[in-house]
PDB file of all heavy atoms in Angstrom:
ATOM      1  N   THR A 278      -0.846   0.601 -12.979  1.00  0.00           N
ATOM      2  CA  THR A 278      -2.189   0.752 -13.558  1.00  0.00           C
ATOM      3  C   THR A 278      -2.428  -0.346 -14.556  1.00  0.00           C
ATOM      4  O   THR A 278      -3.639  -0.616 -14.873  1.00  0.00           O
ATOM      5  CB  THR A 278      -2.318   2.140 -14.228  1.00  0.00           C
ATOM      6  OG1 THR A 278      -1.232   2.356 -15.124  1.00  0.00           O
ATOM      7  CG2 THR A 278      -2.415   3.239 -13.236  1.00  0.00           C
ATOM      8  N   ASP A 279      -1.426  -1.020 -15.057  1.00  0.00           N
ATOM      9  CA  ASP A 279      -1.629  -2.162 -15.991  1.00  0.00           C
ATOM     10  C   ASP A 279      -1.922  -3.457 -15.254  1.00  0.00           C
ATOM     11  O   ASP A 279      -2.062  -4.510 -15.866  1.00  0.00           O
ATOM     12  CB  ASP A 279      -0.486  -2.326 -16.964  1.00  0.00           C
ATOM     13  CG  ASP A 279       0.821  -2.764 -16.302  1.00  0.00           C
ATOM     14  OD1 ASP A 279       0.802  -3.012 -15.060  1.00  0.00           O
ATOM     15  OD2 ASP A 279       1.860  -2.845 -17.013  1.00  0.00           O
ATOM     16  N   GLY A 280      -1.932  -3.390 -13.913  1.00  0.00           N
ATOM     17  CA  GLY A 280      -2.268  -4.542 -13.112  1.00  0.00           C
ATOM     18  C   GLY A 280      -1.057  -5.315 -12.582  1.00  0.00           C
ATOM     19  O   GLY A 280      -1.215  -6.254 -11.757  1.00  0.00           O
ATOM     20  N   THR A 281       0.170  -4.969 -13.029  1.00  0.00           N
ATOM     21  CA  THR A 281       1.341  -5.644 -12.538  1.00  0.00           C
ATOM     22  C   THR A 281       1.527  -5.376 -11.069  1.00  0.00           C
ATOM     23  O   THR A 281       1.485  -4.202 -10.631  1.00  0.00           O
ATOM     24  CB  THR A 281       2.558  -5.244 -13.324  1.00  0.00           C
ATOM     25  OG1 THR A 281       2.374  -5.479 -14.714  1.00  0.00           O
ATOM     26  CG2 THR A 281       3.828  -5.999 -12.843  1.00  0.00           C
ATOM     27  N   THR A 282       1.757  -6.429 -10.264  1.00  0.00           N
ATOM     28  CA  THR A 282       1.941  -6.293  -8.821  1.00  0.00           C
ATOM     29  C   THR A 282       3.271  -6.845  -8.382  1.00  0.00           C
ATOM     30  O   THR A 282       3.927  -7.631  -9.063  1.00  0.00           O
ATOM     31  CB  THR A 282       0.828  -7.030  -8.081  1.00  0.00           C
ATOM     32  OG1 THR A 282       0.890  -8.425  -8.395  1.00  0.00           O
ATOM     33  CG2 THR A 282      -0.532  -6.490  -8.402  1.00  0.00           C
ATOM     34  N   SER A 283       3.720  -6.366  -7.233  1.00  0.00           N
ATOM     35  CA  SER A 283       4.883  -6.910  -6.568  1.00  0.00           C
ATOM     36  C   SER A 283       4.613  -6.935  -5.062  1.00  0.00           C
ATOM     37  O   SER A 283       3.890  -6.093  -4.518  1.00  0.00           O
ATOM     38  CB  SER A 283       6.119  -6.076  -6.878  1.00  0.00           C
ATOM     39  OG  SER A 283       6.014  -4.738  -6.395  1.00  0.00           O
ATOM     40  N   TYR A 284       5.152  -7.939  -4.413  1.00  0.00           N
ATOM     41  CA  TYR A 284       4.897  -8.198  -2.996  1.00  0.00           C
ATOM     42  C   TYR A 284       6.226  -8.399  -2.260  1.00  0.00           C
ATOM     43  O   TYR A 284       7.136  -9.029  -2.749  1.00  0.00           O
ATOM     44  CB  TYR A 284       4.006  -9.385  -2.755  1.00  0.00           C
ATOM     45  CG  TYR A 284       2.568  -9.203  -3.208  1.00  0.00           C
ATOM     46  CD1 TYR A 284       2.187  -9.542  -4.493  1.00  0.00           C
ATOM     47  CD2 TYR A 284       1.624  -8.632  -2.374  1.00  0.00           C
ATOM     48  CE1 TYR A 284       0.888  -9.414  -4.928  1.00  0.00           C
ATOM     49  CE2 TYR A 284       0.303  -8.527  -2.776  1.00  0.00           C
ATOM     50  CZ  TYR A 284      -0.061  -8.869  -4.043  1.00  0.00           C
ATOM     51  OH  TYR A 284      -1.351  -8.685  -4.453  1.00  0.00           O
ATOM     52  N   ALA A 285       6.234  -8.006  -0.984  1.00  0.00           N
ATOM     53  CA  ALA A 285       7.320  -8.424  -0.120  1.00  0.00           C
ATOM     54  C   ALA A 285       7.183  -9.886   0.209  1.00  0.00           C
ATOM     55  O   ALA A 285       6.053 -10.403   0.336  1.00  0.00           O
ATOM     56  CB  ALA A 285       7.322  -7.529   1.141  1.00  0.00           C
ATOM     57  N   ASP A 286       8.304 -10.569   0.391  1.00  0.00           N
ATOM     58  CA  ASP A 286       8.235 -11.984   0.707  1.00  0.00           C
ATOM     59  C   ASP A 286       7.455 -12.268   1.962  1.00  0.00           C
ATOM     60  O   ASP A 286       6.768 -13.308   2.103  1.00  0.00           O
ATOM     61  CB  ASP A 286       9.648 -12.556   0.836  1.00  0.00           C
ATOM     62  CG  ASP A 286      10.383 -12.618  -0.514  1.00  0.00           C
ATOM     63  OD1 ASP A 286       9.717 -12.548  -1.545  1.00  0.00           O
ATOM     64  OD2 ASP A 286      11.632 -12.679  -0.457  1.00  0.00           O
ATOM     65  N   SER A 287       7.500 -11.297   2.925  1.00  0.00           N
ATOM     66  CA  SER A 287       6.883 -11.519   4.217  1.00  0.00           C
ATOM     67  C   SER A 287       5.341 -11.585   4.133  1.00  0.00           C
ATOM     68  O   SER A 287       4.706 -12.033   5.084  1.00  0.00           O
ATOM     69  CB  SER A 287       7.283 -10.463   5.153  1.00  0.00           C
ATOM     70  OG  SER A 287       6.939  -9.174   4.690  1.00  0.00           O
ATOM     71  N   VAL A 288       4.792 -11.081   3.046  1.00  0.00           N
ATOM     72  CA  VAL A 288       3.269 -11.049   2.920  1.00  0.00           C
ATOM     73  C   VAL A 288       2.739 -11.841   1.779  1.00  0.00           C
ATOM     74  O   VAL A 288       1.508 -11.906   1.621  1.00  0.00           O
ATOM     75  CB  VAL A 288       2.780  -9.607   2.874  1.00  0.00           C
ATOM     76  CG1 VAL A 288       3.295  -8.791   4.053  1.00  0.00           C
ATOM     77  CG2 VAL A 288       3.158  -8.948   1.564  1.00  0.00           C
ATOM     78  N   LYS A 289       3.599 -12.404   0.957  1.00  0.00           N
ATOM     79  CA  LYS A 289       3.129 -13.148  -0.207  1.00  0.00           C
ATOM     80  C   LYS A 289       2.236 -14.302   0.244  1.00  0.00           C
ATOM     81  O   LYS A 289       2.512 -15.033   1.213  1.00  0.00           O
ATOM     82  CB  LYS A 289       4.341 -13.731  -0.966  1.00  0.00           C
ATOM     83  CG  LYS A 289       5.045 -12.739  -1.877  1.00  0.00           C
ATOM     84  CD  LYS A 289       6.161 -13.378  -2.665  1.00  0.00           C
ATOM     85  CE  LYS A 289       6.853 -12.361  -3.548  1.00  0.00           C
ATOM     86  NZ  LYS A 289       8.007 -12.948  -4.277  1.00  0.00           N
ATOM     87  N   GLY A 290       1.104 -14.447  -0.453  1.00  0.00           N
ATOM     88  CA  GLY A 290       0.136 -15.496  -0.105  1.00  0.00           C
ATOM     89  C   GLY A 290      -0.827 -15.081   0.967  1.00  0.00           C
ATOM     90  O   GLY A 290      -1.818 -15.813   1.197  1.00  0.00           O
ATOM     91  N   ARG A 291      -0.588 -13.993   1.648  1.00  0.00           N
ATOM     92  CA  ARG A 291      -1.482 -13.543   2.735  1.00  0.00           C
ATOM     93  C   ARG A 291      -2.165 -12.195   2.389  1.00  0.00           C
ATOM     94  O   ARG A 291      -3.298 -11.978   2.772  1.00  0.00           O
ATOM     95  CB  ARG A 291      -0.722 -13.393   4.073  1.00  0.00           C
ATOM     96  CG  ARG A 291      -0.075 -14.655   4.547  1.00  0.00           C
ATOM     97  CD  ARG A 291       0.461 -14.485   5.978  1.00  0.00           C
ATOM     98  NE  ARG A 291       1.538 -13.477   6.065  1.00  0.00           N
ATOM     99  CZ  ARG A 291       1.487 -12.409   6.877  1.00  0.00           C
ATOM    100  NH1 ARG A 291       0.424 -12.204   7.641  1.00  0.00           N
ATOM    101  NH2 ARG A 291       2.480 -11.551   6.863  1.00  0.00           N
ATOM    102  N   PHE A 292      -1.444 -11.327   1.713  1.00  0.00           N
ATOM    103  CA  PHE A 292      -1.969  -9.978   1.396  1.00  0.00           C
ATOM    104  C   PHE A 292      -2.178  -9.918  -0.121  1.00  0.00           C
ATOM    105  O   PHE A 292      -1.447 -10.502  -0.895  1.00  0.00           O
ATOM    106  CB  PHE A 292      -0.953  -8.908   1.799  1.00  0.00           C
ATOM    107  CG  PHE A 292      -0.763  -8.704   3.275  1.00  0.00           C
ATOM    108  CD1 PHE A 292      -1.255  -9.621   4.218  1.00  0.00           C
ATOM    109  CD2 PHE A 292      -0.014  -7.630   3.749  1.00  0.00           C
ATOM    110  CE1 PHE A 292      -1.082  -9.416   5.567  1.00  0.00           C
ATOM    111  CE2 PHE A 292       0.177  -7.436   5.087  1.00  0.00           C
ATOM    112  CZ  PHE A 292      -0.345  -8.336   5.980  1.00  0.00           C
TER     113      PHE A 292
END
Side-chain angles (χ1 to χ4, degrees):
T278 50
D279 66 5
T281 302
T282 59
S283 63
Y284 291 91
D286 290 341
S287 59
V288 305
K289 281 182 180 177
R291 299 189 298 123
F292 292 10

